[in-house]
Amino acid sequence: MSRPISQPELQTIHDVIVELAQRAGERIVSAIDKKRPDIQSKLNSVDLVTQSDKDTESLISNELKRTFPKYAFMGEETAEAESVNENGGGIFIVDPIDGTTNFIHGFPYFSISIGFCYHGTPMVGVVYNPVRRDLYSGIRGKGAWKNSMPIMQTAHPLGTLNDSLVILEWGAERANRNFQIKKEMFCAFAERARSVRSLGSAALNLCALAEGVCDVYWEGGVHSWDVCGAWPILLEAGGRILHGNTDSEARVDDRVYLAVRGGPNPAPLVQEIRTVLGHRKLEYD
Ligand code: LIP
């Protein structure tokens, strides 16, 4: 059995990645000011990457490998396979720009997301929106913060879907069974919820739940780098992240998530969403 990781070590990791996310953010914002980003497509025409994504990942990976050589690194732009439990130890999981499409369009909802997983569990996370200069962070067992102020769990109970603001994302698929399910669920939520949002950054969506400004997030197809940085933030703010297809607590690489904000009495809302989902299951390799 390897040793548990100590709170002082988690705090050190937190402080380093906060500083790094802010430094990366300044670079990304200065790239916006200079020119339209250089865009390339990955899986298809809606799955995009820019030179800023690559440069930012390289800055973050160089710094983390230099500062914490004993821990592994996985980033969206360089990962060859998704593995969150590297050698059974610690791994940094990074999305250099979560919300690349928003970044390309200048829509100010994208973030640098840096998470640290230990034995497959997200323990520390930072999500930084460099346009709004909103910095969210969390350490498991210690708390979550926005711009250095503690994020307090709301006392406002979760209600029904009818009382809820729901986030559903479209991802990078446009013509398969998963996309069909997302279309059906968009309509189902639109009919039943107070309203539906699709904002384009999984990391910031989970932070919106942590702050209590949205109630539900449902998405499939994202990866551990999209969610790992925000994971400890939402859990420390009292929220829950469940597998999107089953009743179990989610693992960071499940790729299908149903998350709810903190607050008393989440079970009836989760049950209502499960009933609306019915037989629909999003499937990813
Ligand atoms: C994005 C996610 C978003 C999802 C997009 C994309 P990226 O991350 O955060 O929720 O719907 O397809 O994966 O690719 O901008 O880092």
Side-chain angles (χ1 to χ4, degrees):
M1 263 290 273
S2 61
R3 67 178 177 87
I5 195 159
S6 68
Q7 277 292 339
E9 193 168 357
L10 294 177
Q11 184 71 53
T12 302
I13 290 169
H14 171 272
D15 296 350
V16 169
I17 62 179
V18 162
E19 193 274 329
L20 195 47
Q22 286 173 313
R23 189 141 52 98
E26 302 322 314
R27 282 209 358 197
I28 292 169
V29 168
S30 66
I32 303 180
D33 292 343
K34 286 191 189 117
K35 56 177 166 41
R36 290 286 290 181
D38 157 34
I39 309 166
Q40 293 151 35
S41 55
K42 295 197 282 188
L43 291 177
N44 56 37
S45 63
V46 294
D47 188 19
L48 305 173
V49 63
T50 69
Q51 194 57 44
S52 286
D53 293 75
K54 295 177 185 172
D55 292 347
T56 305
E57 182 159 317
S58 143
L59 166 81
I60 295 171
S61 103
N62 289 341
E63 280 298 311
L64 290 177
K65 286 173 185 168
R66 190 177 61 77
T67 314
F68 301 105
K70 68 180 170 180
Y71 295 133
F73 177 89
M74 178 170 67
E76 175 174 15
E77 309 311 337
T78 48
E80 282 165 14
E82 194 167 357
S83 168
V84 303
N85 208 358
E86 194 78 13
N87 304 323
I91 181 168
F92 290 100
I93 302 182
V94 171
D95 191 339
I97 303 182
D98 184 56
T100 300
T101 302
N102 289 340
F103 167 67
I104 289 165
H105 286 260
F107 184 75
Y109 197 80
F110 56 87
S111 59
I112 296 104
S113 171
I114 307 177
F116 175 74
C117 262
Y118 197 66
H119 294 284
T121 302
M123 298 297 292
V124 187
V126 171
V127 175
Y128 181 50
N129 178 336
V131 181
R132 298 179 58 102
R133 295 186 181 233
D134 281 338
L135 190 133
Y136 302 86
S137 68
I139 305 176
R140 286 318 311 272
K142 195 151 185 214
W145 302 269
K146 179 182 180 186
N147 299 330
S148 305
M149 298 296 290
I151 301 176
M152 309 305 285
Q153 179 176 328
T154 172
H156 187 57
L158 286 133
T160 62
L161 261 181
N162 195 245
D163 309 307
S164 301
L165 188 54
V166 174
I167 306 177
L168 171 154
E169 294 287 352
W170 295 98
E173 302 149 314
R174 292 294 180 270
N176 60 7
R177 174 77 190 131
N178 289 331
F179 184 60
Q180 180 61 31
I181 290 174
K182 288 179 185 178
K183 286 196 289 186
E184 290 170 11
M185 286 307 295
F186 185 86
C187 292
F189 284 136
E191 280 167 18
R192 293 167 176 82
R194 182 163 282 159
S195 198
V196 186
R197 301 285 179 267
S198 298
L199 296 165
S201 164
L204 286 173
N205 292 341
L206 290 169
C207 291
L209 263 54
E211 285 190 87
V213 298
C214 288
D215 303 290
V216 176
Y217 162 64
W218 178 79
E219 179 164 17
V222 281
H223 293 269
S224 49
W225 45 79
D226 297 298
V227 295
C228 185
W231 199 282
I233 301 168
L234 178 56
L235 294 194
E236 284 299 314
R240 295 187 67 193
I241 310 178
L242 303 165
H243 192 294
N245 292 339
T246 69
D247 277 333
S248 51
E249 298 293 322
R251 290 175 323 164
V252 71
D253 56 351
D254 275 338
R255 301 200 60 197
V256 186
Y257 310 99
L258 168 62
V260 292
R261 68 164 169 83
N265 207 25
L269 177 60
V270 169
Q271 185 50 50
E272 186 184 355
I273 295 168
R274 295 279 180 221
T275 303
V276 175
L277 275 163
H279 62 278
R280 300 182 189 90
K281 295 196 189 311
L282 296 170
E283 305 287 354
Y284 297 92
D285 296 334

